[in-house]
């Protein structure tokens, strides 16, 4: 939301400036979601590992070695899945941020047209995403998905609803349809 939109909502310019300056100190929702998900995952991991330790206390030495190997494989798979989930969240946040910046009208629709299969993060952006967005914005079959203002937009001219037209001969507007028809035929003679 920008300053103009806040002012349009009825805030004063001073209030809008305070709100805009306050955005810099806030944590973005995507970052909050990422940390919250990370916290939940860590708590679940601790519970799982506590259970695993309790089970290990009950196992004999030979079974213990086998159980350790199984747990290591499971923990590695869980860690890989967790890393993939966090990476996907970061990619989704970067894509949404780029789409908002590109003034996409419908983020889901534009996101479906993007090739994100091999998406790689480059800091807070995705490699090659800018080029894909530029191609979509310039393509005739997809540029309608973006709010792009062009300088050469054609202006339609013609009738404007609710606007009086030219006054008929005699300078008096007819009050009814019958009067308009009558004046038309009488002026043609």
């Amino acid at each position: 939301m920008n300053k103009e939109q806040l002012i349009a909502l009825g805030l004063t310019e001073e209030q809008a400036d305070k709100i805009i300056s306050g955005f810099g100190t806030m944590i973005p929702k995507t970052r909050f979601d990422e940390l919250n998900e990370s916290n939940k995952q860590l708590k679940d991991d601790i519970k799982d590992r506590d259970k695993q330790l309790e089970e290990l206390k009950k196992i004999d030495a030979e079974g213990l070695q086998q159980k350790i190997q199984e747990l290591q494989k499971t923990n590695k798979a869980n860690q890989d899945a967790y890393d993939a989930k966090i990476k996907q969240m970061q990619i989704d946040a970067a894509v949404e941020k780029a789409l908002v910046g590109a003034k996409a009208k419908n983020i889901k629709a534009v996101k479906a047209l993007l090739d994100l299969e091999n998406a790689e993060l480059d800091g807070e952006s995705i490699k090659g995403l800018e080029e894909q967005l530029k191609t979509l914005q310039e393509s005739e079959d997809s540029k309608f998905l973006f709010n792009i203002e062009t300088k050469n937009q054609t202006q339609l001219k013609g009738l404007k609803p609710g606007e009086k037209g030219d006054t008929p001969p005699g300078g008096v507007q007819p009050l009814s349809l019958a009067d308009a028809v009558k004046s038309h035929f009488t002026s043609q003679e």
Side-chain angles (χ1 to χ4, degrees):
M1 187 167 259
N2 60 27
K3 183 178 177 180
E4 291 79 23
Q5 292 172 327
L6 291 172
I7 291 173
L9 290 174
L11 297 175
T12 65
E13 188 169 337
E14 182 180 313
Q15 291 170 332
D17 287 337
K18 286 182 182 179
I19 290 172
I20 296 296
S21 67
F23 281 140
T25 60
M26 297 177 144
I27 297 173
K29 182 174 180 352
T30 55
R31 179 70 176 136
F32 173 77
D33 290 343
E34 182 180 324
L35 291 174
N36 195 20
E37 183 67 30
S38 176
N39 185 25
K40 289 178 185 176
Q41 184 65 37
L42 290 173
K43 286 181 181 179
D44 290 342
D45 288 349
I46 288 173
K47 287 179 184 176
D48 287 342
R49 294 204 174 125
D50 286 345
K51 286 181 188 176
Q52 293 169 2
L53 288 174
E54 289 300 319
E55 289 178 15
L56 288 176
K57 288 179 184 177
K58 301 174 186 175
I59 297 176
D60 63 309
E62 292 175 15
L64 182 62
Q65 191 65 18
Q66 183 180 5
K67 187 69 172 178
I68 289 173
Q69 290 175 352
E70 289 174 16
L71 291 175
Q72 285 175 336
K73 288 178 185 177
T74 304
N75 288 340
K76 173 102 173 89
N78 288 343
Q79 183 64 38
D80 292 343
Y82 169 74
D83 290 341
K85 188 175 185 179
I86 292 297
K87 181 181 177 185
Q88 188 60 45
M89 286 176 66
Q90 291 171 336
I91 288 172
D92 288 344
V95 168
E96 285 189 26
K97 182 178 178 183
L99 291 175
V100 168
K103 297 182 180 180
K105 289 181 183 178
N106 185 336
I107 291 178
K108 278 186 178 180
V110 176
K111 195 174 182 181
L113 296 174
L114 296 173
D115 180 20
L116 299 174
E117 190 172 317
N118 298 322
E120 291 184 33
L121 284 172
D122 183 23
E124 289 189 16
S125 62
I126 296 178
K127 293 179 184 176
L129 183 62
E130 291 297 321
E131 292 81 17
Q132 288 185 47
L133 287 175
K134 187 174 181 181
T135 302
L136 288 174
Q137 287 173 334
E138 293 172 355
S139 175
E140 288 297 321
D141 58 347
S142 62
K143 71 180 180 182
F144 68 91
L145 293 170
F146 298 91
N147 283 331
I148 300 174
E149 297 173 10
T150 60
K151 295 178 185 174
N152 298 335
Q153 286 184 338
T154 58
Q155 296 293 326
L156 299 177
K157 295 181 182 178
L159 179 69
K160 295 180 184 172
E163 186 176 273
K164 291 185 177 182
D166 294 334
T167 57
V172 180
Q173 290 283 354
L175 299 175
S176 68
L177 179 61
D179 291 341
V181 170
K182 180 180 177 184
S183 72
H184 175 70
F185 287 110
T186 57
S187 67
Q188 299 293 330
E189 296 175 358

